[in-house]
Amino acid sequence: MTSVELSGQGLTSVPSLPPGVTRLDLYRNSLAAVPSSLWAHTRLEVLNLAANRLSSLPPGISALTSLHTLDLGHNEFDVLPDELGDLAGLTEYLYVSDNRLTSFPSAWCRLDRLRYLGCTDNRISSLPADLSGLASLRELRLYRNGLTALPESIGALGSLRELHLRGNRLTSLPSSIGSLSELRQLDLRENLLETLPSSIAQLSKLNKLDLRWNKHLREPAWLRDFEEAGCMVLR
């Protein structure tokens, strides 16, 4: 394995890299662009471009067929290419948090082996209608966006263990959320929820339900029974 660690070096361009590099860390530099030649390093498994000044990516990133972890967080992206959905080797992490994204491309739902998706602190108001392609996700972080609703297909994420939705504009949840049989944590803080679907009571593995700062929420009668059955409910 060849690892190149260049975080915090004040770089404004990507330097020449050794052949066969598998891990590249360019975190916290001053990169405004990355060259398309970077995609020639097809043995890359981990690529960290977080905390730069990037607003676009050149075509060709799908050549990184060995990539399992990609961090694009804390940049200036308004949009990211649909081509990210072609990264079939992306199994571990995709971080796109703290950008300026206004949409969640349906093409990303082709990442059927991805386990963790961090898409917090953006400006996303809706999700694709069909999320079922993300069936391997174990953790989905969407807090501090502008979501007003979740699609029914959220219930197809049968491997999901943590769902973080703090700081959106949700007024209700789809009943399909009760199909998330592996869910352990559900964070709904700082939304506009008025009701909760009774299907949540079916989540036998849920150990933490955070409902704080939903001023208009009418607590259902089953919630206390659910709490007594072992789920920590934060109000």
Side-chain angles (χ1 to χ4, degrees):
M1 180 177 69
T2 301
S3 181
V4 177
E5 306 288 339
L6 294 170
S7 63
Q9 300 296 308
L11 298 174
T12 57
S13 62
V14 178
S16 297
L17 301 172
V21 61
T22 58
R23 302 175 65 94
L24 176 58
D25 186 355
L26 287 163
Y27 172 75
R28 198 166 54 83
N29 280 287
S30 297
L31 301 174
V34 293
S36 57
S37 58
L38 182 58
W39 313 145
H41 294 275
T42 55
R43 293 183 62 185
L44 274 171
E45 298 175 4
V46 177
L47 176 57
N48 187 348
L49 293 169
N52 280 281
R53 296 189 293 111
L54 301 173
S55 59
S56 64
L57 293 176
I61 193 172
S62 59
L64 301 183
T65 55
S66 298
L67 200 67
H68 62 69
T69 297
L70 176 61
D71 193 345
L72 299 171
H74 312 291
N75 276 290
E76 300 173 8
F77 292 107
D78 295 312
V79 64
L80 285 166
D82 287 355
E83 196 179 358
L84 293 186
D86 297 326
L87 290 169
L90 208 60
T91 56
E92 298 301 320
Y93 299 97
L94 173 59
Y95 297 95
V96 294
S97 295
D98 189 24
N99 277 287
R100 302 171 183 175
L101 303 176
T102 58
S103 66
F104 185 113
S106 58
W108 294 2
C109 296
R110 298 197 296 266
L111 297 171
D112 58 358
R113 299 166 62 199
L114 185 65
R115 296 182 184 179
Y116 178 101
L117 176 55
C119 193
T120 74
D121 300 282
N122 279 289
R123 305 169 186 177
I124 297 170
S125 59
S126 64
L127 298 175
D130 186 2
L131 296 174
S132 61
L134 291 168
S136 295
L137 275 186
R138 294 189 178 183
E139 191 167 335
L140 177 56
R141 292 181 176 264
L142 290 165
Y143 54 79
R144 289 194 289 271
N145 275 285
L147 297 173
T148 58
L150 299 179
E152 283 287 341
S153 63
I154 193 79
L157 306 184
S159 299
L160 203 62
R161 296 185 178 186
E162 296 186 24
L163 178 56
H164 299 267
L165 295 164
R166 178 179 182 174
N168 281 283
R169 301 184 61 80
L170 301 171
T171 58
S172 63
L173 300 172
S175 60
S176 64
I177 204 162
S179 299
L180 300 177
S181 58
E182 293 297 318
L183 201 64
R184 272 73 163 176
Q185 295 186 32
L186 178 56
D187 187 353
L188 299 169
R189 283 176 290 175
E190 293 182 68
N191 275 283
L192 304 172
L193 291 171
E194 299 175 1
T195 61
L196 294 174
S198 59
S199 61
I200 288 180
Q202 301 169 17
L203 299 175
S204 61
K205 294 185 180 180
L206 196 67
N207 56 43
K208 183 178 180 181
L209 174 60
D210 200 334
L211 300 171
R212 288 177 289 177
W213 307 307
N214 282 277
K215 297 179 180 179
H216 305 295
L217 180 64
R218 299 187 297 275
E219 290 192 7
W222 54 262
L223 189 59
R224 187 167 297 278
D225 293 336
F226 191 53
E227 188 173 19
E228 291 176 355
C231 181
M232 180 173 62
V233 179
L234 301 176
R235 297 173 170 83

